[in-house]
Amino acid sequence: MKKIIVFALLAMFAFAGTAHAETLKLLTWKGYAPQKVIDAFEKETGIKVEVTFSNNEEMIAKLRATRGAGFDLAQPSQDRISSVQEKFKLYQPLDYSKIDAALFIPSMLDAVKKNTLVGGKSHAVPFCWGTSGLIVNNDKASEATSFKALIDPKYKGRVSYRLKRPTLIAMGFALGYDPFSLYGDVEAYTAMLDKIAETMIEAKPIVKNYWANGDSLLESMRSEEVFVAMAWDAGGWKLHGDNKAIDFRAPSEGALGWIDTFTIPSKAKNVEAAYKWINFIMKPENAGYFSSQEKYATASKGALEFTDKAVADNFARSFPQATIDNIKWYPPVPAKLESIEGKILDKIKAAN
């Protein structure tokens, strides 16, 4: 009888341990969940973090395939939420009473709330921000100050960029359009894309490659295979750390600004853990550590006090106030435009 009781107690304890074991399934970009921060979070909360690395297109595809299931927290860019939510209902409105608003830069928190408003409810909070512009080898291409450098024959065979929608937007600005102002006019936007496609197809001989992997792009810049690339500011700063001739440059048209967010998928199982992670990583010391590692600014108020001086120097060098004032921030993307852009990108890729 005693053996039966002991066995029953052991089974009960084992079940209790299993029942209280928690997991946070995080769908995010590479580098957005530093192991040091994960370890500290797991130690403090007892919640295990499982990370799946992705990008905007893959996040949407994964969540569409499961109708919002499989992950507790995702980190899409703020301009890729409202249109997706309207069409597919992949996310749930956030309970902002569970967000420690004091941790956030108020203007950025308010902006993301506004830009992710669907059905009268907001769906995200900001995490980090940055820009895409030009990475330039100043010893080889000192005159590359505009997105037009990407189609300039003087840099033939020394240019690289992604064949993605940001390049279409950049080329639109380079050709004298304001792509964001055309979001509400499908006909005008399509006409702009047709002109962009014509220009980029004609300039294909100038392009060394369409980069898809950030590490391979950085290596091609280090080896001087590429002189001018369209990429993120952090990539340029990484290269500048090794070679002072290479640096990020905001183009004359204005760098393209993005904000990546936190949003909770509609069928998340561990919603409470998601809120705990948001509040944990947005603490200034944790957000500052992230910025020091990945070279992105965050929406965490006070994080710069915990950021390495070299990183702060990057921002000072690349973003004087006039340059910040000229950033073209991505607004929410109307869903119907993405399919049009996809066809244009396919056309450019297939062209000889």
Side-chain angles (χ1 to χ4, degrees):
M1 184 66 179
K2 289 182 179 179
K3 290 183 179 179
I4 294 174
I5 293 173
V6 170
F7 178 79
L9 287 171
L10 290 173
M12 182 178 67
F13 290 141
F15 175 78
T18 303
H20 286 89
E22 288 188 70
T23 300
L24 170 69
K25 294 186 176 181
L26 176 61
L27 182 62
T28 189
W29 301 75
K30 185 177 181 181
Y32 279 23
Q35 191 59 50
K36 181 178 177 180
V37 178
I38 290 176
D39 291 344
F41 177 79
E42 291 181 340
K43 182 178 181 180
E44 180 174 308
T45 67
I47 300 170
K48 179 178 174 58
V49 180
E50 291 183 3
V51 182
T52 299
F53 295 124
S54 190
N55 57 45
N56 275 319
E57 291 79 10
E58 289 179 359
M59 284 185 207
I60 294 169
K62 287 178 185 294
L63 292 172
R64 281 187 62 188
T66 62
R67 298 186 179 182
F71 298 94
D72 302 307
L73 190 61
Q75 295 200 249
S77 299
Q78 62 94 18
D79 60 303
R80 307 300 293 276
I81 295 175
S82 60
S83 60
V84 173
Q85 179 64 12
E86 288 172 354
K87 189 171 183 179
F88 302 113
K89 304 294 188 293
L90 298 182
Y91 308 110
Q92 57 182 267
L94 289 196
D95 181 351
Y96 291 93
S97 70
K98 295 181 179 179
I99 299 292
D100 186 351
L103 295 172
F104 292 82
I105 297 170
S107 60
M108 292 196 71
L109 180 59
D110 291 343
V112 170
K113 282 184 178 181
K114 179 181 178 180
N115 285 329
T116 62
L117 192 66
V118 178
K121 297 181 179 180
S122 298
H123 291 75
V125 293
F127 173 51
C128 65
W129 66 272
T131 67
S132 55
L134 299 175
I135 298 179
V136 178
N137 185 324
N138 289 291
D139 286 345
K140 305 292 184 179
S142 60
E143 297 177 357
T145 60
S146 163
F147 279 130
K148 292 178 182 177
L150 301 173
I151 54 173
D152 193 330
K154 76 170 66 172
Y155 305 122
K156 183 177 181 179
R158 302 295 186 176
V159 167
S160 183
Y161 50 81
R162 292 194 306 162
L163 205 54
K164 297 286 187 180
R165 73 176 308 269
T167 307
L168 297 180
I169 300 298
M171 199 53 57
F173 280 112
L175 296 179
Y177 297 94
D178 180 352
F180 300 151
S181 71
L182 300 179
Y183 271 11
D185 188 336
V186 175
E187 184 176 344
Y189 195 78
T190 301
M192 178 197 71
L193 290 177
D194 287 338
K195 180 61 177 178
I196 290 170
E198 178 185 329
T199 302
M200 292 179 68
I201 289 171
E202 183 178 347
K204 286 191 82 168
I206 295 170
V207 181
K208 172 71 174 179
N209 56 52
Y210 300 124
W211 68 267
N213 179 282
D215 290 339
S216 64
L217 170 67
L218 298 187
E219 186 54 41
S220 68
M221 294 291 297
R222 289 189 184 101
S223 65
E224 298 188 351
E225 291 180 80
V226 171
F227 298 161
V228 182
M230 180 180 173
W232 297 295
D233 43 30
W237 295 336
K238 286 181 180 179
L239 290 166
H240 187 76
D242 300 326
N243 183 346
K244 300 305 179 186
I246 304 174
D247 205 356
F248 174 80
R249 178 177 293 170
S252 56
E253 298 87 356
L256 303 181
W258 53 266
I259 300 173
D260 285 344
T261 71
F262 294 108
T263 188
I264 299 178
S266 57
K267 296 181 181 178
K269 289 185 176 181
N270 201 343
V271 174
E272 294 305 314
Y275 286 113
K276 288 179 181 178
W277 174 263
I278 293 170
N279 290 328
F280 185 82
I281 199 169
M282 293 307 291
K283 290 180 179 179
E285 60 271 27
N286 294 328
Y289 176 78
F290 162 82
S291 290
S292 297
Q293 296 301 302
E294 296 300 320
K295 315 302 186 289
Y296 297 133
T298 75
S300 172
K301 187 167 60 177
L304 283 179
E305 296 177 17
F306 298 88
T307 302
D308 289 348
K309 182 180 182 301
V311 177
D313 288 346
N314 287 332
F315 283 98
R317 187 177 67 252
S318 296
F319 291 108
Q321 191 60 49
T323 301
I324 292 176
D325 292 342
N326 196 34
I327 292 174
K328 304 299 191 289
W329 296 101
Y330 287 109
V333 186
K336 55 191 172 184
L337 297 187
E338 292 194 63
S339 60
I340 300 173
E341 292 170 345
K343 292 177 182 178
I344 291 294
L345 290 168
D346 289 342
K347 179 180 179 180
I348 296 169
K349 184 177 182 179
N352 294 322

